[in-house]
Amino acid sequence: MPVKKPKQKQTLSEKITELLENNQDYDLKDLLNDQYPQDIAPVLENLKEEGKILCFSLLDLENAGNVLTELSSETQMMLLKTLGIEKFSGIISQIDVDDATDIIIQLPEKEKSALLKILPDPVQLAHVQELIHYPPESAGGRMSTDFLRLRSDMTIHLAFNYVRRQAAEYKAQVHYLYVVDNTNKLVGVISLRNLICAPPNDLVANHMSTDILTCKVTDDQENVAKTISKYDLIALPIVDEENTLKGIVTIDDVVDILNKETTEDIYQSSGISDKFRSDELISGKVTYAVRARLPWLLITLAGEAIAALIIASYDKTIISAPIAVSFMPLLSGLSGNVGGQTATIMVRGLVTGDIDLKNTAKHIFHELKIGILIGAICSLITGLIAWLQHDQPVLGLVVAFALICSIISAVLLGTIFPILLQCFKKDPAAASSPIITTLLDILTFTFYLVIVSMSLRYLH
Amino acid sequence: MPVKKPKQKQTLSEKITELLENNQDYDLKDLLNDQYPQDIAPVLENLKEEGKILCFSLLDLENAGNVLTELSSETQMMLLKTLGIEKFSGIISQIDVDDATDIIIQLPEKEKSALLKILPDPVQLAHVQELIHYPPESAGGRMSTDFLRLRSDMTIHLAFNYVRRQAAEYKAQVHYLYVVDNTNKLVGVISLRNLICAPPNDLVANHMSTDILTCKVTDDQENVAKTISKYDLIALPIVDEENTLKGIVTIDDVVDILNKETTEDIYQSSGISDKFRSDELISGKVTYAVRARLPWLLITLAGEAIAALIIASYDKTIISAPIAVSFMPLLSGLSGNVGGQTATIMVRGLVTGDIDLKNTAKHIFHELKIGILIGAICSLITGLIAWLQHDQPVLGLVVAFALICSIISAVLLGTIFPILLQCFKKDPAAASSPIITTLLDILTFTFYLVIVSMSLRYLH
């Protein structure tokens, strides 16, 4: 019962630790083999190395395989080294081809080729060797080769019996059955549900749908995820340039893809490099996190150092109007926020497809109107505050005017930057908020100090 | 072919506009009924009102239903008013109960009760009347009542024939078949695939799994989504307190839930209220977007106005050391970024479950170490820049010391704020970056100006 999960998980971790400490291997084995692999893996990750190895070795072969796919690559590598390649390949042979490939693909070259040599199941080996050549983030890298093919000239009865036999034997996905011609080209698809409902003596050809959504092996995984989620599919066939059926991606993979891409986008937008793994950032080495976070900070540092130079060159203005200086953080903070909001809406809209590059002008114009309205409201309030705080109407005017200009710059920068990246086929999320806020700081301060200098005679 | 989708969609929109302009209703009808509802809906949304009404009325009854579920609530309401309640209820009766409920639930009270009175299908009506009482974001509000129940004492043969008949007749989901006792309590589950593979004369009881993951009707939809994605399920049964089977949520709903929750989280983290709809923010009224964005900006404005007051009170310090002022944006920008990064990692970790509240101290300590390292690197660089730019070693020291302190405050604020919100059962994403950066600005500037004042005799 998921409502009880957090509690059960807590006790699971405690139970395992207790049984480990008391050397109750027999009870531990029973406990472990009675759990979902998704629940064991996180507990295992938190154990010391000996604990990990002992618990893992107590798992039945199939459970071991399922737990292995849920573990971090470091733990997988450690287990490979400890168990030996022979035992490891036996476990690998228990798991789905796509999951097996995901594990094998990240092994060091030596271990990879050693493992491929001794994989016991020749069918699995052939599939792994095919899948291993696709980039991991492509449709080909994501697809499974565990699926059933039918021929259009089969009768429903024959097809059904074939499916029954195959499904009992393999782990194949059977939500949809794919119909191919004699050169393995995809010609139709029929759901298991429609297969069982169709009259037994009819031909498959009469009940299959020929209007099939597909993706190419070379497509990006994000494309696959978008197609499956847009059209509410359970699985999507992946074909090559000749429309030969190469594999399928199922919707549970899409959930993983979406989660991963979301984390990447969220990280990028706050200036964390998207090449780093989120679990490592949270509980890995400190230097790992620093490497992920420092690059954007150094860009900010460089930008703000330029801003510092510009501000320093206005030292006479600052001495003459120190009160004006006190509003600089307000200008910078507000325009930074507006720029961040705008970039977030643009990036998210481009990712979900709500924003269409064809309507660029429309989107820029829309954001511009929002910027003018927000700028007007904020400038009015800020202007009044500046005036009343220091009893200087001119200060109010100067601050208000600088603020509306910098908010308008912020919406323009926040709109145009992501669109430009998308046009140049870069990830729009790279237009992350640190870059926008730093650029805005330079712009805003320069402009502000220029107009403060020009108004000096009216300020005190 | 999804690879051609963008192009096809482009032509679809243009084709429809062309056929509309030339009054070629017959061709238009053919074209529309040949498309996926997911492709028609966005084109329809962009048409003028007459175009929307005409296109919609050209759709066959079933297509109309499927397109209706994809349209915005404004367009749905407009169609209801134009078509009349009679015709509208006929279309509603074509769609799945959960989608129908989603449409009905958001109608104004008068239209809602009028529609419920005339829904033609009594079974659908009964289900809608049940579902309508669950909050839309609960498991109950998300579930569908279209699923098949078996009894454990049925033979496989009997069960199979029952499924065949039912599946042919209803739209029921048939990936899993749920086994209930005579009081409708959930006792087991069997996949369609296992059903067809089992020997016909065996009992369902011998082939069903009794180890069933479920959620309660009152659970939050995020719980449902997490369970389904964690355990790679296609569907999850939803039960009440007595374990009576009330409905199921399928994985395609999870994809929708995840997309929606992600957008909310991303928006919140950059200071956009999560109660607003993303499509409306992108292309709706300007005032709508302003209402979503202004609240956080006003909070920033208030915070920065306080910062301005504090800075203004140090006017003598500013006059004495104008160069020191030039580094204020650098302090604010860098610590703001670090705080934003930290908050992002914490919020995302809490959402995905990678961060466990039980290990709070561990996470704070981990972030603190990262903050010290990042702070040391950035302070060293910035200190050197300050020293060399202005040939003042003391300025370098002062800036470096203030920067490391403000970066450490930033990681602490970015870590503790989301954890506190989570502890008080609030959405941690509400610890959005604008609040953190504004608080940091106040802290940083106060501290910096204090130490600059104290070092004035060594600065020039």
Side-chain angles (χ1 to χ4, degrees):
Chain A
M1 306 275 154
V3 281
K4 294 188 194 151
K5 274 287 160 223
K7 207 175 156 196
Q8 192 194 354
K9 199 170 127 195
Q10 180 182 12
T11 27
L12 181 64
S13 164
E14 287 165 4
K15 270 188 205 159
I16 291 177
T17 318
E18 198 185 311
L19 293 172
L20 266 175
E21 279 166 4
N22 301 333
N23 296 316
Q24 294 172 280
D25 288 6
Y26 192 79
D27 291 344
L28 187 55
K29 187 181 164 80
D30 279 353
L31 176 68
L32 287 169
N33 284 300
D34 205 34
Q35 304 296 323
Y36 289 97
Q38 290 89 347
D39 293 322
I40 305 178
V43 179
L44 231 66
E45 288 286 1
N46 280 328
L47 293 175
K48 298 216 181 72
E49 193 166 311
E50 313 89 79
K52 278 181 195 159
I53 296 166
L54 178 61
C55 284
F56 194 77
S57 64
L58 291 174
L59 291 168
D60 299 339
L61 201 56
E62 198 189 327
N63 289 338
N66 290 329
V67 171
L68 190 65
T69 61
E70 303 281 334
L71 292 171
S72 70
S73 52
E74 290 86 318
T75 309
Q76 287 171 353
M77 194 61 207
M78 184 274 287
L79 288 169
L80 167 61
K81 282 191 175 136
T82 321
L83 297 174
I85 200 143
E86 203 88 12
K87 185 118 193 263
F88 198 78
S89 75
I91 296 167
I92 291 272
S93 70
Q94 293 296 310
I95 52 184
D96 290 348
V97 175
D98 50 338
D99 293 329
T101 310
D102 288 345
I103 296 177
I104 297 171
I105 209 165
Q106 51 169 4
L107 295 176
E109 225 29 70
K110 206 181 114 207
E111 278 77 9
K112 194 192 291 173
S113 55
L115 193 66
L116 285 176
K117 274 196 198 100
I118 60 166
L119 265 194
D121 177 355
V123 178
Q124 192 194 31
L125 177 62
H127 284 160
V128 169
Q129 279 177 325
E130 189 190 338
L131 291 185
I132 218 164
H133 290 111
Y134 297 110
E137 308 227 317
S138 69
R142 274 287 178 176
M143 73 190 180
S144 162
T145 50
D146 272 332
F147 60 92
L148 293 183
R149 293 174 182 82
L150 300 177
R151 296 282 288 272
S152 59
D153 53 358
M154 278 174 158
T155 62
I156 294 288
H157 177 74
L158 197 70
F160 180 66
N161 280 334
Y162 171 77
V163 171
R164 270 181 76 161
R165 278 200 314 277
Q166 295 291 317
E169 204 168 321
Y170 293 112
K171 285 192 158 198
Q173 306 279 354
V174 282
H175 308 298
Y176 301 119
L177 303 151
Y178 298 96
V179 187
V180 294
D181 66 13
N182 53 8
T183 61
N184 215 10
K185 294 217 191 329
L186 182 65
V187 294
V189 63
I190 179 169
S191 68
L192 180 56
R193 164 225 184 100
N194 287 343
L195 184 73
I196 66 170
C197 295
N201 294 326
D202 266 15
L203 290 182
V204 165
N206 299 333
H207 292 272
M208 70 190 192
S209 161
T210 52
D211 180 18
I212 324 162
L213 290 161
T214 61
C215 270
K216 295 263 184 292
V217 278
T218 48
D219 281 355
D220 190 82
Q221 61 177 356
E222 231 179 323
N223 250 0
V224 178
K226 270 187 194 169
T227 307
I228 292 183
S229 60
K230 178 172 176 190
Y231 296 100
D232 288 340
L233 306 172
I234 299 292
L236 183 72
I238 309 295
V239 297
D240 66 8
E241 290 298 325
E242 277 79 43
N243 204 34
T244 311
L245 181 60
K246 306 300 275 184
I248 60 167
V249 176
T250 48
I251 190 171
D252 50 308
D253 295 317
V254 169
V255 171
D256 296 341
I257 296 171
L258 286 177
N259 271 330
K260 205 167 155 283
E261 300 268 346
T262 299
T263 303
E264 282 182 15
D265 283 355
I266 291 184
Y267 278 5
Q268 269 205 325
S269 71
S270 68
I272 301 166
S273 183
D274 64 337
K275 301 279 167 275
F276 293 78
R277 287 169 47 129
S278 79
D279 52 340
E280 284 285 297
L281 285 177
I282 287 167
S283 45
K285 285 195 191 130
V286 169
T287 48
Y288 186 91
V290 171
R291 273 188 295 135
R293 294 165 63 166
L294 202 56
W296 287 106
L297 295 174
L298 294 180
I299 291 175
T300 305
L301 200 158
E304 299 290 358
I306 295 171
L309 263 184
I310 296 172
I311 297 169
S313 73
Y314 283 89
D315 52 349
K316 290 201 181 61
T317 307
I318 292 171
I319 293 171
S320 316
I323 297 301
V325 168
S326 73
F327 287 93
M328 281 170 53
L330 191 148
L331 291 170
S332 146
L334 268 185
S335 63
N337 274 8
V338 173
Q341 285 180 337
T342 311
T344 300
I345 291 176
M346 291 306 292
V347 169
R348 189 71 195 147
L350 288 166
V351 168
T352 58
D354 280 337
I355 290 177
D356 197 335
L357 277 190
K358 282 184 301 155
N359 294 325
T360 309
K362 196 185 105 187
H363 292 302
I364 297 177
F365 190 59
H366 183 250
E367 287 298 318
L368 188 61
K369 283 190 286 184
I370 293 171
I372 292 174
L373 186 52
I374 285 179
I377 297 171
C378 293
S379 298
L380 189 70
I381 300 173
T382 310
L384 282 173
I385 291 176
W387 173 3
L388 299 174
Q389 260 181 11
H390 304 289
D391 197 17
Q392 292 194 54
V394 176
L395 180 68
L397 272 179
V398 167
V399 173
F401 179 59
L403 184 59
I404 195 165
C405 292
S406 79
I407 286 181
I408 290 171
S409 318
V411 292
L412 290 179
L413 209 57
T415 324
I416 295 168
F417 211 161
I419 288 178
L420 277 182
L421 286 172
Q422 180 90 342
C423 287
F424 287 106
K425 309 254 177 250
K426 305 270 177 202
D427 187 347
S432 66
S433 138
I435 287 208
I436 290 178
T437 46
T438 308
L439 278 178
L440 275 173
D441 271 4
I442 298 179
L443 256 175
T444 302
F445 295 139
T446 311
F447 181 69
Y448 182 59
L449 290 167
V450 166
I451 62 163
V452 170
S453 307
M454 286 163 51
S455 327
L456 271 186
R457 78 180 77 166
Y458 311 106
L459 295 169
H460 49 87
Chain B
M1 310 273 152
V3 281
K4 295 187 193 154
K5 274 286 155 216
K7 207 177 153 193
Q8 193 193 352
K9 199 170 126 193
Q10 179 185 13
T11 27
L12 181 64
S13 164
E14 288 165 2
K15 268 189 206 159
I16 290 177
T17 317
E18 199 186 309
L19 292 173
L20 265 176
E21 279 165 4
N22 302 334
N23 297 316
Q24 292 170 283
D25 288 4
Y26 194 79
D27 290 345
L28 186 55
K29 186 181 165 81
D30 279 355
L31 175 69
L32 287 169
N33 284 300
D34 206 33
Q35 304 295 323
Y36 290 97
Q38 290 89 344
D39 292 323
I40 305 179
V43 178
L44 230 65
E45 287 287 359
N46 280 327
L47 292 176
K48 297 215 181 75
E49 194 167 311
E50 312 90 78
K52 278 182 194 159
I53 297 168
L54 178 61
C55 284
F56 193 76
S57 63
L58 290 175
L59 291 168
D60 298 338
L61 201 57
E62 198 189 329
N63 289 339
N66 291 329
V67 170
L68 190 64
T69 61
E70 303 281 333
L71 291 171
S72 69
S73 51
E74 290 86 318
T75 309
Q76 287 171 353
M77 194 59 209
M78 184 274 288
L79 287 171
L80 168 60
K81 282 192 176 137
T82 322
L83 298 174
I85 201 140
E86 203 88 12
K87 187 118 193 264
F88 198 78
S89 76
I91 297 166
I92 291 272
S93 70
Q94 293 298 308
I95 53 185
D96 291 349
V97 176
D98 51 337
D99 293 329
T101 310
D102 288 345
I103 296 178
I104 296 173
I105 209 166
Q106 52 172 1
L107 294 178
E109 226 29 70
K110 204 180 117 208
E111 277 78 8
K112 196 192 289 173
S113 56
L115 193 65
L116 285 176
K117 275 198 197 102
I118 58 164
L119 266 194
D121 178 354
V123 178
Q124 191 193 33
L125 177 62
H127 285 160
V128 167
Q129 278 175 327
E130 189 190 340
L131 293 184
I132 219 164
H133 291 110
Y134 297 110
E137 309 225 320
S138 69
R142 275 287 179 177
M143 73 190 182
S144 161
T145 49
D146 273 331
F147 60 92
L148 293 183
R149 292 173 182 85
L150 299 178
R151 295 283 287 273
S152 58
D153 53 358
M154 279 175 158
T155 62
I156 295 286
H157 177 74
L158 197 70
F160 180 67
N161 279 336
Y162 171 75
V163 171
R164 268 181 77 163
R165 276 201 316 276
Q166 295 292 316
E169 203 168 322
Y170 292 111
K171 285 193 159 195
Q173 307 279 351
V174 285
H175 309 298
Y176 301 120
L177 303 152
Y178 298 96
V179 187
V180 292
D181 66 12
N182 53 9
T183 61
N184 216 11
K185 297 221 188 328
L186 184 65
V187 295
V189 63
I190 179 169
S191 68
L192 180 56
R193 163 225 184 100
N194 287 344
L195 184 73
I196 67 170
C197 294
N201 295 325
D202 267 14
L203 289 182
V204 166
N206 299 332
H207 292 272
M208 69 188 191
S209 161
T210 52
D211 180 19
I212 324 162
L213 290 162
T214 60
C215 271
K216 295 263 185 291
V217 276
T218 48
D219 281 355
D220 191 82
Q221 60 175 357
E222 232 177 324
N223 251 0
V224 179
K226 271 187 191 168
T227 308
I228 292 184
S229 59
K230 178 171 176 192
Y231 296 100
D232 288 341
L233 307 172
I234 300 292
L236 184 72
I238 309 296
V239 296
D240 65 9
E241 290 299 327
E242 276 79 43
N243 205 35
T244 311
L245 182 59
K246 305 300 274 184
I248 60 167
V249 176
T250 49
I251 191 172
D252 50 306
D253 294 318
V254 169
V255 171
D256 295 341
I257 296 172
L258 287 177
N259 271 330
K260 204 169 155 281
E261 299 269 345
T262 300
T263 302
E264 282 183 12
D265 284 354
I266 291 183
Y267 278 5
Q268 268 205 326
S269 72
S270 70
I272 302 167
S273 180
D274 65 336
K275 299 279 168 274
F276 292 78
R277 288 169 48 130
S278 81
D279 52 340
E280 282 286 295
L281 286 177
I282 287 166
S283 45
K285 285 200 190 121
V286 168
T287 49
Y288 186 89
V290 171
R291 274 187 295 137
R293 294 166 63 166
L294 202 56
W296 287 105
L297 295 174
L298 293 181
I299 292 174
T300 307
L301 199 159
E304 300 290 359
I306 295 171
L309 263 183
I310 297 171
I311 298 169
S313 71
Y314 282 88
D315 53 348
K316 292 199 179 62
T317 309
I318 292 170
I319 293 172
S320 315
I323 297 301
V325 168
S326 73
F327 285 94
M328 282 170 52
L330 191 147
L331 291 170
S332 145
L334 267 184
S335 63
N337 273 10
V338 172
Q341 285 179 339
T342 311
T344 300
I345 290 175
M346 293 305 294
V347 170
R348 189 73 194 146
L350 288 167
V351 169
T352 59
D354 280 337
I355 289 178
D356 197 335
L357 277 190
K358 280 185 300 155
N359 294 325
T360 309
K362 197 185 106 190
H363 291 302
I364 297 178
F365 190 60
H366 184 250
E367 287 298 318
L368 188 60
K369 284 191 285 184
I370 293 171
I372 292 173
L373 187 52
I374 285 180
I377 298 171
C378 292
S379 298
L380 190 70
I381 300 173
T382 310
L384 282 173
I385 290 176
W387 174 3
L388 299 174
Q389 259 182 13
H390 304 289
D391 198 19
Q392 293 195 56
V394 177
L395 180 68
L397 273 179
V398 167
V399 172
F401 179 59
L403 184 59
I404 195 165
C405 292
S406 79
I407 285 179
I408 289 171
S409 319
V411 290
L412 290 178
L413 209 57
T415 323
I416 295 168
F417 211 163
I419 288 179
L420 277 183
L421 285 173
Q422 180 91 345
C423 286
F424 288 105
K425 308 256 177 248
K426 305 268 176 204
D427 187 347
S432 66
S433 139
I435 284 207
I436 291 177
T437 45
T438 307
L439 278 177
L440 276 172
D441 271 4
I442 297 179
L443 258 174
T444 303
F445 294 139
T446 311
F447 181 69
Y448 182 61
L449 289 168
V450 167
I451 62 163
V452 170
S453 307
M454 287 163 53
S455 327
L456 270 185
R457 75 183 77 170
Y458 311 106
L459 294 169
H460 50 85

